[in-house]
Amino acid sequence: MNIKKIFIVNRGEIAVRIIRSCKVLGIETVLAVSEADIDSLPARLADKTVCIGPANSTKSYLNIPVIITAAKSVGADAIHPGYGFLSEVAELAQNCQDHGLIFIGPKPEHISKMGNKLVARSIAQQCGVPVLPGSEKVASFEEVIQTIEKIGLPIMLKAAAGGGGRGMKIITDYANIKTVFESASAEAKAAFGDGTMYVEKYIPNARHIEVQILGDQHGNVIHLGERDCSTQRRHQKLIEEAPAPNISEKLRQEIREAAVKLAKNISYENAGTVEFIVDQDEQKFYFLEMNTRIQVEHPVTEAITGVDLVQEQINIARGEKLRFTQSDIRFTGHAVECRINAEAPEEGFRPNPGLISKWEMPQGPGVRIDTHCYQGYSVPLFYDSMIAKVIVHGYDRTHAMKRMLVALDEFTVEGIKTTIPFLKEVLQDEEFVSGNVNTRLLEKVMK
């Protein structure tokens, strides 16, 4: 299948990232923009832009009929959804198929199956990948209590239809279970249109480790190593690194092999990420979920493997076999990514949109900046607050962390507040420096 023109249905740094890979491949790009993004950097870089609606994302970036019509009208061969927005919505992938467009991502059925956490959990169990003790869907707080009586406290309430921390609640005792359940279900319903909940055992000393996989249309699946994404605030990742520090090689290989096993079991195609929880006290790992798209943190994998993951997404979508076997993948050094958000940490991480009056990005060996911002750019208030990603590569973890601190020192942003000072504080925390990280580390740093 030949792809000569790609319709990019996203914004921000991932749109810039896709455009640049397309240029290398000699593919024409048409960018879908909302009225708020007409003057954005990706709009300047794309070969053509098409305004698909107002700033409100439900009327633009989430409007499938408008997107399909626009893609057809410009003569696009394919649609790339990036991450977020419609990237894990099976309806878009199915509409692409129905209208003769190539969806640069997995099949609609893969998105549907793995997008429902309960179905994904069942698939993992069927192919022998460990899952956390827990429940099927729970329809009432009484069922939550019944599950607790079987597996014990603490537990995590989760939304079956989505992630990103929405609808997730930790329960450590029996007080207020009814209120917590109703609140979590309502939050899930508002976020995903589905209030279905389920229960999993909560691991206090947990690491969040994910494996990048690629699968083609010919049955080949490989992994590109793992990333540690444990440094999170409210289940939102802030710092990611590859490879994961302070785990045994035996556990590392078992996690990687489990990800490939799961992807092969469903004949997965394109880029995907299989996420796991690692119980550091027990040295055991459990399937968490699968993201059927490119990840925000994909650059750290690119840094240690030298593989352009967006380019591979496009190659797979046009029917090519993977260019690598597993033995071809080599891991070199250590990479770290910091997400820079337009937020005020001292004010509870309040979003801080506005005009960037000064913008000086760091440079130097092993430093990469993925961004859509520039001096004079006005960060809109309608979308996610991430304005840049700083990625550094070093010969080992210590070297990479030192390079990251230098890069953050050199990164100057004025006119808006950012998370740069907070990230520097985290990077110098004693436990983080030692690699003794877990998903609760930021709670300690913030205190």
Side-chain angles (χ1 to χ4, degrees), residues 332-348:
T332 305
H334 197 92
V336 185
E337 174 182 291
C338 283
R339 301 187 190 191
I340 311 300
N341 295 335
E343 296 173 354
E346 71 277 12
E347 299 173 32

Side-chain angles (χ1 to χ4, degrees), residues 310-371:
V310 174
Q311 182 174 317
E312 296 310 315
Q313 281 192 293
I314 296 168
N315 290 340
I316 291 166
R318 54 188 179 187
E320 296 180 13
K321 286 186 176 181
L322 288 178
R323 297 187 296 121
F324 320 97
T325 63
Q326 191 63 66
S327 61
D328 292 327
I329 302 299
R330 294 284 183 268
F331 304 104
T332 305
H334 197 92
V336 185
E337 174 182 291
C338 283
R339 301 187 190 191
I340 311 300
N341 295 335
E343 296 173 354
E346 71 277 12
E347 299 173 32
F349 292 84
R350 179 179 59 83
N352 199 246
L355 181 69
I356 297 175
S357 58
K358 188 173 184 180
W359 180 265
E360 293 180 357
M361 297 187 295
Q363 299 178 26
V367 178
R368 164 180 165 181
I369 310 296
D370 282 16
T371 186

Side-chain angles (χ1 to χ4, degrees), residues 164-357:
R166 287 169 293 186
M168 294 175 68
K169 303 289 182 183
I170 299 168
I171 295 177
T172 57
D173 56 46
Y174 284 89
N176 302 317
I177 289 181
K178 183 176 187 291
T179 303
V180 172
F181 173 81
E182 290 173 350
S183 170
S185 183
E187 187 178 333
K189 178 72 174 176
F192 313 115
D194 183 350
T196 303
M197 305 299 294
Y198 69 105
V199 173
E200 280 185 343
K201 182 72 175 174
Y202 175 65
I203 309 296
N205 188 17
R207 295 269 292 283
H208 185 148
I209 293 178
E210 61 187 31
V211 179
Q212 176 70 60
I213 61 102
L214 290 173
D216 64 20
Q217 298 174 22
H218 308 275
N220 302 303
V221 178
I222 63 169
H223 72 77
L224 290 94
E226 80 288 343
R227 300 182 285 255
D228 191 304
C229 304
S230 303
T231 311
Q232 306 174 6
R233 176 184 170 268
R234 295 184 177 176
H235 311 292
Q236 297 293 321
K237 304 164 188 173
L238 291 183
I239 301 173
E240 303 99 350
E241 53 184 306
N246 289 11
I247 64 170
S248 70
E249 287 307 307
K250 178 177 180 292
L251 187 60
R252 190 188 310 278
Q253 290 305 320
E254 287 176 353
I255 292 171
R256 292 173 174 180
E257 289 166 9
V260 172
K261 186 178 182 179
L262 179 66
K264 280 186 174 179
N265 181 267
I266 60 172
S267 301
Y268 187 82
E269 296 174 12
N270 217 269
T273 301
V274 186
E275 304 197 355
F276 298 93
I277 283 290
V278 175
D279 185 335
Q280 296 195 96
D281 296 331
E282 300 292 334
Q283 286 297 293
K284 292 180 179 179
F285 72 96
Y286 303 94
F287 172 76
L288 184 62
E289 64 182 4
M290 184 174 187
N291 289 308
T292 53
R293 55 172 167 78
I294 196 77
Q295 294 275 90
V296 177
E297 57 272 19
H298 75 272
V300 291
T301 296
E302 293 182 328
I304 65 169
T305 62
V307 176
D308 183 328
L309 289 170
V310 174
Q311 182 174 317
E312 296 310 315
Q313 281 192 293
I314 296 168
N315 290 340
I316 291 166
R318 54 188 179 187
E320 296 180 13
K321 286 186 176 181
L322 288 178
R323 297 187 296 121
F324 320 97
T325 63
Q326 191 63 66
S327 61
D328 292 327
I329 302 299
R330 294 284 183 268
F331 304 104
T332 305
H334 197 92
V336 185
E337 174 182 291
C338 283
R339 301 187 190 191
I340 311 300
N341 295 335
E343 296 173 354
E346 71 277 12
E347 299 173 32
F349 292 84
R350 179 179 59 83
N352 199 246
L355 181 69
I356 297 175
S357 58

Side-chain angles (χ1 to χ4, degrees), residues 12-192:
E13 63 86 19
I14 190 60
V16 172
R17 174 74 186 81
I18 296 165
I19 290 165
R20 286 175 172 156
S21 283
C22 287
K23 285 184 176 182
V24 172
L25 293 170
I27 295 172
E28 187 179 347
T29 55
V30 182
L31 180 69
V33 298
S34 73
E35 292 173 356
D37 287 328
I38 289 173
D39 296 322
S40 66
L41 179 58
R44 296 179 183 183
L45 295 175
D47 295 304
K48 184 178 180 180
T49 60
V50 175
C51 185
I52 57 170
N56 185 332
S57 58
T58 59
K59 298 178 180 179
S60 52
Y61 295 113
L62 297 172
N63 192 330
I64 293 176
V66 167
I67 287 165
I68 295 295
T69 300
K72 297 286 285 184
S73 70
V74 298
D77 307 300
I79 285 180
H80 198 309
Y83 56 70
F85 291 130
L86 294 170
S87 61
E88 291 182 287
V89 176
E91 185 184 347
L92 176 62
Q94 187 62 58
N95 267 264
C96 286
Q97 282 190 11
D98 296 344
H99 290 86
L101 293 162
I102 297 168
F103 180 74
I104 301 177
K107 293 179 179 178
E109 56 265 33
H110 292 150
I111 299 173
S112 295
K113 285 179 179 178
M114 305 316 288
N116 185 296
K117 303 301 185 288
L118 281 173
V119 174
R121 177 184 165 91
S122 177
I123 290 170
Q125 285 178 304
Q126 289 168 20
C127 63
V129 174
V131 300
L132 282 163
S135 71
E136 297 301 312
K137 65 179 179 180
V138 288
S140 66
F141 77 95
E142 289 94 349
E143 291 182 13
V144 174
I145 292 172
Q146 289 171 12
T147 304
I148 291 171
E149 288 171 350
K150 292 177 184 176
I151 67 173
L153 288 167
I155 58 104
M156 174 85 81
L157 263 179
K158 289 187 173 182
R166 287 169 293 186
M168 294 175 68
K169 303 289 182 183
I170 299 168
I171 295 177
T172 57
D173 56 46
Y174 284 89
N176 302 317
I177 289 181
K178 183 176 187 291
T179 303
V180 172
F181 173 81
E182 290 173 350
S183 170
S185 183
E187 187 178 333
K189 178 72 174 176
F192 313 115

